[in-house]
């Protein structure tokens, strides 16, 4: 196989990771920035470092992405399918970033993989897509909503006799820890998704087998690109998450981040399920906000975000299928 094709495909995969970083940096830090627990630059720097660390915590999600969703396509056609899948995901990431919509980079990638595989005549493991992507896509936001609500209720009950100003100051400090946990979970989940794609490229090219451990250089470059993308920042999406859904105070920010981080770690270690960090933190913010009063949450913005969730996979799949058609047209 042409080494150039392999290098280009891995390069595009790392480009996707970079867009994932600046698209999803808001997930880890929007709540901390909006409550003024952290300055934007300090929050981004912390998130970038924790993303890097999180990438080395496991490989279950990477295994699901590389082996569980589509059959491994072979040869140049296989590289074309991977390339088209990544292009579909990148284009959708850029479109949603431009409009400030916190859609899921993960589901853009999975949609891209399914769309390119179908266009290229490669088998899709529909049971894997259902078990590891579709079901978690619906279940994780519900869990985020319910757990976010319950965690916030517990905090309100525990600190009901505390001085409000002292409590807020304490939670502002605690938010640096919960935001770090959120960023660590983001690295654990999202860097591994790209690792899975790079492993697929190496298997297709004959440089690796699925039974081999993920090479350290793959982990390192995927983690670094995610961190660089995170540090570049996603200000448009940060505004949506941090301000437009609900105005958060430090206890609420802490509750939302703690909920989001817990769900991401649980899904990665227990189920090897590549869930969306966007879905989890957004639903946790809504759950936390609903403890004020149900109409405190700006449900109109929430409705637009949920619409983005439903159209992400099909839209990325269509773009990826079109990209595969162009690849075949240009390179045969």
């Amino acid at each position: 196989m042409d080494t150039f094709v392999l290098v280009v495909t891995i390069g595009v995969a790392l480009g996707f990771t970079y867009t994932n970083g600046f698209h999803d940096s808001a997930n880890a830090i929007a709540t901390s920035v909006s409550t003024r627990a952290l300055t934007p630059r300090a929050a981004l720097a912390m998130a970038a470092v924790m993303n890097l660390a999180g990438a080395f915590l496991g490989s279950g999600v990477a295994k699901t992405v590389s082996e569980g969703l589509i059959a491994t396509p072979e040869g140049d056609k296989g590289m074309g399918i991977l390339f088209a899948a990544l292009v579909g995901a990148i284009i959708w990431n850029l479109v949603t970033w431009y409009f400030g919509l916190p859609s899921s980079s993960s589901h853009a990638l999975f949609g891209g993989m399914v769309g390119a595989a179908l266009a290229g005549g490669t088998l899709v493991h529909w049971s894997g897509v259902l078990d590891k992507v579709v079901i978690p896509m619906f279940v994780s936001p519900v869990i985020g909503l319910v757990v976010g609500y319950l965690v916030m209720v517990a905090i309100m009950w525990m600190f009901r006799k505390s001085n409000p100003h002292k409590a807020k100051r304490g939670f502002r400090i605690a938010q640096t820890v919960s935001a770090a946990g959120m960023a660590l979970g983001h690295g654990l989940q999202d860097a591994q998704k790209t690792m899975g794609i790079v492993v697929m490229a190496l298997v297709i090219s004959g440089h690796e087998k699925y039974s081999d451990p993920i090479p350290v250089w793959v982990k390192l470059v995927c983690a670094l690109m995610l961190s660089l993308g995170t540090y570049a920042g996603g200000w448009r999406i940060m505004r949506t998450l941090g301000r437009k859904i609900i105005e958060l105070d430090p206890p609420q920010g802490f509750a939302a981040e703690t909920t989001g981080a817990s769900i991401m770690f649980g899904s990665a270690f227990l189920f090897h399920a590549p869930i969306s960090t966007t879905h989890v933190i957004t639903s946790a913010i809504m759950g936390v906000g609903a403890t004020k009063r149900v109409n405190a949450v700006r449900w109109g913005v929430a409705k637009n975000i949920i619409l983005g969730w439903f159209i992400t996979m099909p839209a990325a799949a269509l773009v990826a299928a079109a990209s595969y058609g162009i690849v075949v047209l240009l390179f045969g």
Side-chain angles (χ1 to χ4, degrees):
M1 164 157 309
D2 193 341
T3 306
F4 176 72
V5 177
L6 174 63
V7 170
V8 167
T9 305
I10 291 174
V12 175
L14 296 177
F16 165 76
T17 311
Y18 184 84
T19 67
N20 187 345
F22 76 68
H23 194 278
D24 288 3
S25 58
N27 296 338
I29 61 174
T31 47
S32 304
V33 173
S34 70
T35 61
R36 296 183 175 82
L38 293 168
T39 64
R41 284 288 160 215
L44 282 167
M46 179 275 293
V49 171
M50 297 309 278
N51 276 178
L52 190 63
F56 287 88
L57 289 181
S59 57
V61 170
K63 195 171 178 62
T64 295
V65 172
S66 60
E67 298 177 53
L69 304 180
I70 64 172
T72 305
E74 295 179 356
D76 288 335
K77 177 185 169 183
M79 283 298 183
I81 287 170
L82 273 193
F83 179 84
L86 291 161
V87 168
I90 289 169
I91 289 172
W92 187 249
N93 265 358
L94 293 174
V95 167
T96 50
W97 166 80
Y98 180 79
F99 289 106
L101 185 67
S103 72
S104 167
S105 295
S106 308
H107 293 141
L109 177 61
F110 304 145
M113 288 173 73
V114 170
L118 290 173
T122 292
L123 178 71
V124 175
H125 298 313
W126 291 111
S127 60
V129 172
L130 182 68
D131 293 347
K132 299 294 187 181
V133 179
V134 177
I135 290 173
M137 179 168 84
F138 288 101
V139 172
S140 60
V142 174
I143 293 172
L145 194 73
V146 173
V147 174
Y149 181 87
L150 294 175
V151 168
M152 193 61 219
V153 167
I155 286 171
M156 286 159 67
W157 187 81
M158 287 164 67
F159 291 89
R160 66 193 183 283
K161 293 177 182 173
S162 302
N163 179 305
H165 295 297
K166 273 188 181 174
K168 280 188 180 179
R169 199 158 54 239
F171 275 107
R172 208 167 258 137
I173 295 163
Q175 261 200 282
T176 57
V177 178
S178 59
M182 194 67 209
L184 197 67
H186 181 212
L188 171 68
Q189 278 279 346
D190 285 19
Q192 281 195 53
K193 289 159 193 167
T194 310
M195 286 180 212
I197 294 290
V198 174
V199 166
M200 274 187 94
L202 292 171
V203 169
I204 290 167
S205 66
H207 289 82
E208 286 279 319
K209 294 189 184 73
Y210 282 131
S211 55
D212 297 336
I214 298 173
V216 174
W217 70 264
V218 173
K219 291 186 176 185
L220 193 61
V221 292
C222 291
L224 278 172
M225 288 305 285
L226 186 70
S227 294
L228 287 171
T230 296
Y231 193 69
W235 305 106
R236 291 170 187 264
I237 292 167
M238 206 183 297
R239 262 200 303 277
T240 302
L241 278 179
R243 295 281 181 191
K244 288 184 182 173
I245 297 175
I246 185 167
E247 297 283 342
L248 293 171
D249 61 22
Q252 291 171 326
F254 174 81
E257 288 168 345
T258 303
T259 299
S262 304
I263 293 169
M264 283 194 291
F265 281 107
S267 63
F269 288 123
L270 297 176
F271 306 109
H272 300 160
I275 62 165
S276 165
T277 50
T278 311
H279 288 196
V280 167
I281 190 62
T282 307
S283 57
I285 290 171
M286 289 179 201
V288 164
T291 58
K292 273 186 175 178
R293 58 187 190 283
V294 174
N295 64 356
V297 178
R298 298 185 183 112
W299 296 105
V301 175
K303 184 185 73 181
N304 291 341
I305 291 168
I306 291 165
L307 188 64
W309 295 353
F310 280 102
I311 63 173
T312 290
M313 278 187 73
L318 286 171
V319 176
S323 301
Y324 182 75
I326 293 166
V327 167
V328 170
L329 206 63
L330 293 177
F331 304 105

